[in-house]
Amino acid sequence: MSGHVHGPVGPTPDRLRRRARAIFTAILVPVLLATVLGAVLLWPHGEQPTLQTSAPGATFHTGTVVAVDPDAADQVHQLRARISGAPVWVNVPPEYLGELEAGDRIQVVDTGDAGPGGTPYVFVDYVRGPPLAILALGFVVLVVAVARWRGLAALVGLAASLGMIGAFTLPALLQGKPAVPVALVTAVAIMFVVLYLAHGFTLRTSTALVGTLAGLAATALIAAWASGAAQLTGLSDEYALDLMSAAPDVRLRAVLLCGMVLAGLGVLNDVTITQASAVWELGAASPDASRRQLFSRGMRIGRDHIASTVYTIVFAYVGATLPLVLLVSISDRAILDTLQNGELAEEVARTLVGSIGLVLAIPLTTAIAALVVRSASAPAENARAEVAVPVA
């Protein structure tokens, strides 16, 4: 005669998920509280410096180019424009004469003082508002149309992130606040907002957030070391002297360091949420896969991600500094000597620091995701199944 008895069964999936949420809460809530406290302590107060960009009494106007004559006898009569219906002569820098054409919309400043035989109107720049607005509108429409509510949430998160940088980060740096705390408070606050807003309050999102925070910490520490060890001062930037003149309290090395952390923020967020999602899908497709197998499969995806993202970072910096790269390509100095020059060295360091933080975040996120996925799903081999035993 035989019967069935039920051996001890492991924790249920719901209980394991609650346990995972409790662990993430224990990690993330203190980090969030520390971020809020840091923001309170570092929040800038008092008046912000102001950069005066125009002479007293000068007024700006929008006009339309009527005619361009590079061969005119004097510079004053090389460009004719129409402002508020009236034709006027506009003083234009020589380098712009070959670019301007009749019908172009331009910004001009009325200096109020024409001088002998001159004109009070000076060319400032093109009017670029309408095409940029069209691009922005097209971007928003496409994001919402393709990603729907999640895309809209991402756009709201982007707006909140830019608001955080404008309200906290920039004023704090202008007042000389320490770079690493400012960078970390900014980056962590942004990540909490954009990840949960765009992807929801789920274990998957929390996994990506923990991986992102670890990557941010590594990036900040490495950036702090690199800026000191390589003696990166931030003085090589073309705007450095203007910034020091307008804001005497600003520390250019702090600006450089904070920029290194923020530069890799978007890519870091991208790879961590993608890795977490990949492991979740692998776990759903292979319910019997162990943690080790999930990690191994996830890292195969992660290695491809690392390779492609490193290219993305490098090409993004090359594209942004292409005029400088062109100058380097025709320099008569050795390439290694040129790379050690201030401005190029800063770009190289920024690229390497962001890449290191990215590479460190991927295996960590993958490991956490594999642990959480397998624990929360309570696979059969991790629980004791019903056992048949003989009964006398």
Side-chain angles (χ1 to χ4, degrees):
M1 181 178 179
S2 65
H4 289 80
V5 296
H6 297 273
V9 178
T12 64
D14 287 342
R15 184 176 177 184
L16 289 169
R17 279 190 286 270
R18 286 196 297 270
R19 182 185 300 173
R21 291 191 187 97
I23 293 173
F24 278 132
T25 300
I27 296 172
L28 294 175
V29 168
V31 173
L32 180 59
L33 293 176
T35 302
V36 173
L37 178 61
V40 171
L41 295 176
L42 295 169
W43 198 270
H45 299 283
E47 293 186 6
Q48 296 297 316
T50 301
L51 178 62
Q52 189 71 33
T53 59
S54 60
T59 56
F60 289 85
H61 303 275
T62 298
T64 303
V65 175
V66 175
V68 181
D69 183 10
D71 299 322
D74 58 78
Q75 185 174 347
V76 171
H77 297 90
Q78 289 178 329
L79 187 141
R80 188 87 163 160
R82 187 175 300 277
I83 299 176
S84 300
V88 297
W89 295 106
V90 179
N91 199 328
V92 181
E95 61 269 21
Y96 278 94
L97 281 175
E99 302 293 334
L100 288 164
E101 298 177 351
D104 287 344
R105 298 282 291 169
I106 60 174
Q107 293 178 337
V108 299
V109 59
D110 182 357
T111 62
D113 182 14
T119 175
Y121 296 101
V122 179
F123 172 82
V124 176
D125 209 337
Y126 288 93
V127 174
R128 299 187 176 95
L132 292 179
I134 292 172
L135 282 175
L137 180 61
F139 170 72
V140 170
V141 170
L142 283 174
V143 168
V144 174
V146 175
R148 301 183 181 179
W149 287 111
R150 183 165 293 185
L152 180 60
L155 292 172
V156 173
L158 175 61
S161 301
L162 295 176
M164 173 72 179
I165 292 174
F168 168 74
T169 312
L170 301 183
L173 291 174
L174 288 171
Q175 292 186 4
K177 302 291 185 180
V180 173
V182 169
L184 285 178
V185 166
T186 302
V188 173
I190 288 174
M191 285 298 96
F192 266 94
V193 172
V194 299
L195 279 173
Y196 282 126
L197 191 59
H199 304 285
F201 289 87
T202 65
L203 287 175
R204 184 184 313 196
T205 307
S206 296
T207 299
L209 180 56
V210 170
T212 303
L213 295 180
L216 282 174
T219 300
L221 291 175
I222 297 168
W225 174 82
S227 61
Q231 296 181 333
L232 304 177
T233 62
L235 289 168
S236 58
D237 189 275
E238 60 180 313
Y239 302 112
L241 296 180
D242 292 337
L243 183 58
M244 291 178 64
S245 175
D249 293 331
V250 73
R251 289 182 269 178
L252 293 179
R253 181 170 290 179
V255 174
L256 175 65
L257 198 160
C258 189
M260 287 183 180
V261 177
L262 295 181
L265 199 57
V267 178
L268 188 60
N269 166 34
D270 172 58
V271 297
T272 54
I273 195 67
T274 303
Q275 279 302 112
S277 296
V279 175
W280 243 263
E281 295 303 322
L282 289 170
S286 303
D288 295 331
S290 65
R291 295 187 183 100
R292 182 183 296 274
Q293 290 172 324
L294 284 180
F295 176 78
S296 177
R297 295 171 186 175
M299 280 307 299
R300 283 200 288 271
I301 299 173
R303 291 185 190 99
D304 289 336
H305 213 163
I306 288 173
S308 62
T309 308
V310 167
Y311 296 148
T312 300
I313 294 175
V314 172
F315 290 143
Y317 287 131
V318 169
T321 60
L322 192 55
L324 179 60
V325 174
L326 288 172
L327 288 175
V328 170
S329 70
I330 60 176
S331 173
D332 59 356
R333 297 183 61 188
I335 186 65
L336 291 179
D337 291 338
T338 306
L339 289 176
Q340 297 182 62
N341 287 343
E343 190 170 356
L344 266 179
E346 291 172 5
E347 296 300 331
V348 171
R350 185 180 289 112
T351 302
L352 294 176
V353 167
S355 299
I356 291 173
L358 164 72
V359 172
L360 291 175
I362 284 181
L364 179 59
T365 304
T366 306
I368 296 173
L371 180 64
V372 174
V373 167
R374 190 45 67 231
S375 296
S377 61
E381 65 268 23
N382 289 344
R384 295 187 181 178
E386 183 179 9
V387 181
V389 296
V391 178

